[in-house]
Amino acid sequence: MTDTDDILRVNDLSTRFFTEQGQVNAVDELELRIERGEVFGIVGESGSGKSVTARSVIDLIDAPGEIIDGEIWFDDAELAETVREDAPDAVDGSFVDLLSVSPAVRQSLRGTSFSMIFQDPESSFNPSLTVGEQLAEAVEVQRRASANPRSTKAKTDSAEYSFGNLLLSTVLPSQQFVTEESRERAIELLELVGIPDPVERADEYPHEYSGGMLQRAMIAQALAGEPDVLIADEPTTALDVTIQAQILDLLDDLQTETGMTILLITHNLGVVARMCDRVGVMYAGEIVERGTLEDVFDDHVHPYTEGLLGSIPELGGANGQLEPIGGNVPSLLDHEMEDRCHFADRCPMAMEDCLDHPPEFDAAGSEAHTVRCVLATQSYTEREALPPNYFGDTERPAGDKHAEPAHSDGEQPAERTRTTISDSGGESR
Amino acid sequence: MSIGKFLVKRLLQGVLVIWGVITIMFALRAVSPGDPANLIVGPAADPEIRDQVREQYGLNEPIYVQYVDYVQGMITGDFGYSFQSSREVTAMVLERVPATLELAIAATIIAIVIAVPLGVISASRRNEPADYGATLFSLLGISTPNFWLGLMLILLFAVFLQDPMETYLGFTFPQGRRPVGFGEAVMTLVTTGYAGDLLTWVRHIMLPAITLGTYFTAMITRLTRSGMIDEFGKPYVTATEAKGIPYVLIRYKHVLRNTMIPIITVLGLQLGTLIGGAVITETVFNWPGLGDRLIQALNARDWPLMQGIIVFIALGFVLINIAVDALYATLDPRVTNE
Amino acid sequence: MIPDRLESNLRQGFRESLLPKLGLVLLASILIMAIFAPVLATHNPTRTGYLDENGNSYPPLGTSYTTEIGQDGEFVEVEVESTSDHLLGTNDIGQDVFSRLVYGARTSMLVGLLGTGLAVLIGVPFGLVSGYYGGRVDDVMMRIADTMLAFPSLVLALALIGVFGSAGFGIPDPLTRFGLIDGMPESTTLPGTVTVVVALVTWVWFARVARGEAMSVRNEEYVTAARSMGASNWTILFKHVLPNSLTPVIVLATIQVAAVILLESSLSFLGFSGTTLSWGYDISRGQGYQRTSWWISMVPGLGIVFAVIAVNLLGDWLRDALDPNIEGEGGGA
């Protein structure tokens, strides 16, 4: 299992949400391989399961969500050694299956092995503590963790976390969980991400920061534990266009400098084009097409990828028009999902074979290029095409892929997919 | 806005409010039917004596002169003389303050000590038996009139548990005095090492404080629970989890702290309920505090005493709320910046 | 007036939790008790003298107690048995406790609903005007509100009653007036002063909520549009601002009914009510008799607790469904 330099291998990952409306198959038997030091992008519309995938990896799935199946193999020789005694089944060479280790071990990996930056920096900081303290807190936790490697007990049992202290911390301005060293390191981190006057800014509160500055601070915070894998969930979506470019540059620089692996979640192919080495296109809880940037941008097979590309202005169709994908993001409710290609109802090239759920086919281009679409093995013929109204009244574009895009359909503009210009503008406009 | 400026602004508002309170109390007295002189000397008194009394209490002056005198008196801390006992109102108020203060503080401490952990448990174990228990308790707590609760506690301790209530719990104080105050008891302990007085004090204050504190315990439990549940749902909690902070630290340092900040303000505003509750609790337990004296003053229509007590209570309310705002401003950095 | 989403929230809350149902059932029972009091009561609640031959009050059905009576110059212990005639016993002056419990619901509900209604009528317009006009008007009005808040409501209520006395006036009871029921009081006393006073000390909470809503609506586009079309301020206030503030006002009103019931019972417990047919007053009747006649104050207290729980359960249900961020003064007393 060690012939390539994978850092993360996700097999058969299924994450479900048990809601009142029914079971939601947010992530469905997902496979993922991420190489050490690469930037892997997962791209898809809202509701495609890309964020849930990321959160499953870092173990931030909250009720009513649950990872019901799968394996997440993480390459960490040191961790493998410590885990081997307790759970030999969870270890394979230098790989550890994160879904088979104890919750305490998983928790201990947050910050040190995995960390995450979020879409909205303003709501991702505790409003009543200074930015510096929140960074220092992360530093401190990691410092203690590395002092007692993998000993999660040390983290929770230490005197500083006694109940009395914790209660006191609710009333007192609580500097007691940070030390002078962790504070200094926090200031270093702020400097590293390009925040001017880091010493003064460390003592400011989140609301005194601009959105871009706060996103930098969040990146600094994510770097506090020197993680192996940084998960960036829509890191630029909430920011102004000019700021977006700066943040991406920063991530790029930091990645080059530290060599960390980045799992980038975005709905913006512009961001992918700029940042990623490889990319997976996600739809309805599964990756429908994956490969190198060239594979996906130039040699794509899946009509959904085609549609996504069509919806970016600068990469758009011949006439430069924005072409949103017709129809709505699919329901992921278990009882509403049929066993077919989930995109078929929106696909302009749906055929009879699409009524079977397609496996992953190898596709032209690089070795890594695979696609979950029958078009990889056969070409589109009118004869086998499904009639336009096959899936009821969902507005499915007609057979010709150059047919009028849904937005000029004019009948149900409000129900168009959410992939519209404001969503996918990207920083390069 | 700096915190100093913020406080100055709140103080000025407080002065206005106190002035409003004084004015309302004066107006109420002015529209009150009946000749106050009758209350002092009785309706059957000699008209000459009555006139003398009117002169002495300034009741013959035009209304605006009376008002100015009244406000002036209040500012200098001169609340006038009681109609009934002819004693200085200021002294009559001040001698009753410690008892009420001790009761209110004891009740608040009981409430916070029980309610915060209860609310935390309730919020962290949502929809488990502990949560249902806490929810039921707090529903009962906010729905029970405290005078009735006090009577039921007396019933429980004194009748069903067969405690000799007069000697042990000491609900009634025949001379209108408590056997011992907190200050004296502590002094005795410090100077002589005798703890008996303090124990007596604890025994006496126990039931009244529980009675007064139950409503607040229930209310703070509810606020803590719902506040923490709200707070747990905020994105920063996930973000904090993502950076590897242990769960206990998130729960107390981040979530509970942020929950308590707005609760402090609510508590400031609910102080009126606490004082109102103290009035009636004191009546039930014959606790010789301000509330007990207020009821006496009302029954005797002793206006100066009544006004003195109410203005004093309002003053306390306003000052405590300014303190609460200052605390709030230091805990929540966003306040002074708005 | 209530948007669809809120309606579905209400339905969902009702479906999923037992508590709103319990609240509704409780409140309905208490309302039925209040309305049909003459039918349900077993005795005239004001008639005294239901005592045994030694002048002792009867205990609730199934219980008994011992007491001492003077006989031939010395004290003798006697056992007082309950009687099926008086389900919940009688009080110290021999009034039927059950009948008084039933009639007490009338006073509580009347004062609770009328007092809160009056507080809405005072507080909401005050708050709307303050929030809508803003500026100096708002400053002055809010200082007035702050001043009102500086009085603990029970204390202010006591002061007002101290000034105005506590008058009550009779509302004829149709059930007895038209001869449908015999032997019951012909009218119910509404403690008028108490009702007004209760409104006077609680309206501020409505003013605060209404003000907040008015301030948030003031700058909405549709209000600006209405203004640009030449709508007068009053038209805007009533057609746009008022409907928007109704949801939180309804929730607050529900919670305040509970607070008002508690306040009324406190006032009547202290003897400042306009009627003696009140749960609070009945509790005070039992104050000296806990050692033997515990039921005299326990029964009416339970009446208050159930009534307030009922209202609070409904209030929680509304608040959870409509989720306005409001606070009101608790009853506490």
Side-chain angles (χ1 to χ4, degrees), chain A residues 107 110-111 118 123-129 133-134 137 141-142 161 163 169-172 177 205 207 221, chain B residues 116 235-236 238-249 252-254 256-258 260-261 331 333-334 337:
Chain A
Q107 199 256 321
R110 273 192 233 132
F118 295 84
S123 63
S124 299
F125 276 95
N126 183 340
S128 57
L129 298 177
E133 191 187 347
Q134 294 185 61
E137 182 186 57
V141 166
Q142 302 321 329
Y161 297 156
F163 188 72
S169 73
T170 65
V171 267
L172 300 174
F177 296 104
Y205 289 92
H207 70 268
Q221 179 173 277
Chain B
V116 173
Y236 80 82
T238 314
T240 310
E241 258 182 276
K243 63 186 188 186
I245 309 295
Y247 198 64
V248 274
L249 195 55
Y252 292 98
K253 181 181 168 185
H254 292 266
L256 182 59
R257 186 182 147 95
N258 285 358
M260 292 319 285
I261 293 170
L331 286 178
R334 287 165 298 182
N337 265 282

Side-chain angles (χ1 to χ4, degrees), chain C residues 34-35 37-38 103 105-115 167-178 184-193 195 274-275 277:
Chain C
I35 294 166
Y103 266 90
R106 277 196 168 181
T107 310
S108 265
M109 288 294 134
L110 269 177
V111 177
L113 297 176
L114 290 180
F169 53 89
I171 304 173
D173 185 337
L175 287 168
T176 45
R177 191 49 61 90
F178 297 122
M184 290 293 158
E186 296 233 318
S187 63
T188 302
T189 309
L190 169 72
T193 319
T195 308
T275 175
L277 210 49

Side-chain angles (χ1 to χ4, degrees), chain B residues 17 20-21 33 139-140 142-143 145-148 151 155 215 222 269-270 272-273 276 280 298-299 301 303 310 314 317, chain C residues 147 149-152 154 158 162-163 208 266 269 283 287 290 294 297-298 301 308-309 312 316 327-330 332-333:
Chain B
V17 166
V21 167
L139 181 65
L140 283 173
I142 58 160
S143 306
N146 69 9
F147 54 91
W148 183 71
L151 290 176
L155 183 69
Y215 175 82
R222 277 164 73 99
L269 282 172
Q270 293 283 351
T273 317
I280 204 156
L298 272 166
N299 279 322
R301 299 178 69 81
W303 272 102
I310 293 179
F317 179 87
Chain C
T147 308
L149 278 176
F151 293 101
L154 180 66
L158 287 172
V163 175
R208 286 164 63 99
S266 305
F269 173 79
I283 292 173
Q287 211 179 346
Q290 286 126 347
W294 47 268
S297 45
M298 188 186 277
V308 177
I309 283 183
N312 276 331
D316 286 351
E327 68 212 14
E329 186 179 28

Side-chain angles (χ1 to χ4, degrees), chain C residues 187-217:
Chain C
S187 63
T188 302
T189 309
L190 169 72
T193 319
V194 170
T195 308
V196 174
V197 160
V198 148
L200 286 178
V201 301
T202 55
W203 63 270
V204 189
W205 299 95
F206 291 99
R208 286 164 63 99
V209 165
R211 171 177 178 263
E213 294 297 314
M215 281 170 69
S216 68
V217 172

